[in-house]
Amino acid sequence: MLEKKSIAICGITMVLGMLVLNNMANAATYKVGDATGWTFNVAGWENGKNFKADDVLVFNYKPEYHNVVVVDENGYCNCTAPFGAKVYHSGEDHIKLVKGQNYFICSFPGHCNKGLRIAIDAA
């Protein structure tokens, strides 16, 4: 009896593992801003694309000029980074999308207001 339970558990584990790997294999990678990268007037780059949870955004930029901050809707609309927000500053940041709304801004003074922000809805 114990052997049958072990086989069943192994089978379930394999199926779950295959589902996770399949989901990861279907994830797409997008270079934010395409060839120009994460820079001014990138707002609108996301239009017409069909993003999904687990897709990866690649933010390429010069870290001495920009950063990437994950914010909520309020932070996006008001161009503010709340206390404790995740700030990326490598210049080659890879950020996995979560299901639902994803908001990103540059928190350098005035940059967000000049269009250095994107809002993405991931299915």
Side-chain angles (χ1 to χ4, degrees), residues 96-122:
K96 188 185 290 190
L97 295 174
V98 297
K99 185 173 180 143
Q101 288 297 131
N102 295 258
Y103 298 99
F104 307 95
I105 67 169
C106 176
S107 67
F108 280 45
H111 289 198
C112 177
N113 289 321
K114 292 180 182 172
L116 197 42
R117 62 181 168 173
I118 58 173
I120 293 176
D121 185 19

Side-chain angles (χ1 to χ4, degrees), residues 76-97:
Y76 176 82
C77 292
N78 295 304
C79 288
T80 56
F83 179 77
K86 177 65 178 166
V87 179
Y88 294 86
H89 48 80
S90 75
E92 295 180 23
D93 306 315
H94 292 70
I95 303 174
K96 188 185 290 190
L97 295 174

Side-chain angles (χ1 to χ4, degrees), residues 36-89:
T36 58
W38 179 240
T39 190
F40 295 108
N41 298 314
V42 73
W45 163 85
E46 67 276 20
N47 295 338
K49 295 176 176 67
N50 294 311
F51 297 101
K52 296 182 181 119
D54 295 328
D55 284 352
V56 175
L57 300 183
V58 179
F59 292 82
N60 292 315
Y61 58 94
K62 293 185 178 185
E64 59 269 22
Y65 299 124
H66 303 299
N67 64 14
V68 180
V69 184
V70 179
V71 296
D72 58 14
E73 184 177 12
N74 185 55
Y76 176 82
C77 292
N78 295 304
C79 288
T80 56
F83 179 77
K86 177 65 178 166
V87 179
Y88 294 86
H89 48 80

Side-chain angles (χ1 to χ4, degrees), residues 6-22:
S6 294
I7 292 172
I9 290 172
C10 286
I12 291 170
T13 303
M14 285 179 50
V15 169
L16 290 174
M18 290 173 25
L19 289 172
V20 168
L21 288 174
N22 184 45

